[in-house]
Structures are given as structure tokens and as C-alpha cells.
């Protein structure tokens, strides 16, 4: 809805509010996707004996979450995580 509103009503005040919101969302997603605790929680599910008993859809959800954490830089050193987050902000 916000993207649609931005396309329909694009004045300077709205544009700035839209940019500010996009930057907040980029920061939030970078922090969430690089959260080591969450990544470790998904990995512990995959490493558990119970993983094999999950239905294929749930296994896929876990596998995709681990992939996404990895692609978002969860295993990078802190300076590289910061650089990744900066790049994500610039792409907004």
C-alpha cells in the first residue's frame, strides 16, 4: 500500500516520509536477518533428531530460513555486517 501511495501521491513531504520509512525497514530487516540467535535456533532445529520427523514443508521452511540468514551475512564479521547493512540502506 505504501508503494502504491507513493506512486499516486508523490509530493515532497510524502516522498521524505516514504524514504524515512524505507530506511527504517531496511535497518530492521538487516538486523533481523543477521540475528545470530535466531539463525542458531533454526540451525539447532535442523541439527536435531526431530528434524527428520518434520513434514517436508516444515523442513523446507527451516532450510530456507538458514539459507536466508547465510545470504544476509549472519556469519560475517561485525565490520562486514555493518558494510552489508549500509549497502542495503543505499539500495532503498
Amino acid at each position: 500500500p505504501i508503494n502504491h501511495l507513493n506512486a499516486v501521491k508523490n509530493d515532497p513531504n510524502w516522498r521524505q516520509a516514504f524514504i524515512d520509512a524505507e530506511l527504517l525497514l531496511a535497518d530492521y530487516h538487516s538486523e533481523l536477518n543477521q540475528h545470530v540467535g535466531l539463525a542458531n535456533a533454526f540451525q539447532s532445529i535442523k541439527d536435531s533428531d526431530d528434524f527428520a520427523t518434520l513434514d517436508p514443508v516444515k523442513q523446507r521452511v527451516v532450510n530456507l530460513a538458514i539459507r536466508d540468514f547465510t545470504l544476509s551475512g549472519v556469519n560475517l564479521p561485525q565490520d562486514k555486517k555493518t558494510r552489508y547493512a549500509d549497502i542495503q540502506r543505499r539500495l532503498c
Side-chain angles (χ1 to χ4, degrees):
I2 299 300
N3 286 326
H4 177 72
L5 284 173
N6 185 50
V8 174
K9 181 185 179 350
N10 193 337
D11 66 34
N13 291 332
W14 177 256
R15 189 176 314 118
Q16 188 58 51
F18 178 77
I19 291 168
D20 293 344
E22 286 287 306
L23 292 175
L24 287 172
L25 285 170
D27 291 344
Y28 168 77
H29 285 288
S30 290
E31 185 176 332
L32 180 67
N33 295 334
Q34 293 180 353
H35 194 286
V36 174
L38 287 173
N40 288 341
F42 277 98
Q43 189 63 51
S44 70
I45 293 169
K46 181 166 180 153
D47 294 341
S48 74
D49 294 336
D50 294 331
F51 183 75
T53 66
L54 295 176
D55 65 74
V57 173
K58 290 178 182 175
Q59 288 181 5
R60 180 147 171 80
V61 167
V62 171
N63 286 326
L64 290 176
I66 292 168
R67 181 205 62 187
D68 291 347
F69 280 113
T70 302
L71 292 176
S72 295
V74 73
N75 298 316
L76 293 173
Q78 188 56 47
D79 62 323
K80 302 286 186 188
K81 284 182 180 183
T82 303
R83 175 78 174 124
Y84 180 91
D86 289 342
I87 292 169
Q88 290 300 106
R89 285 184 115 237
R90 282 191 304 169
L91 292 174
C92 286

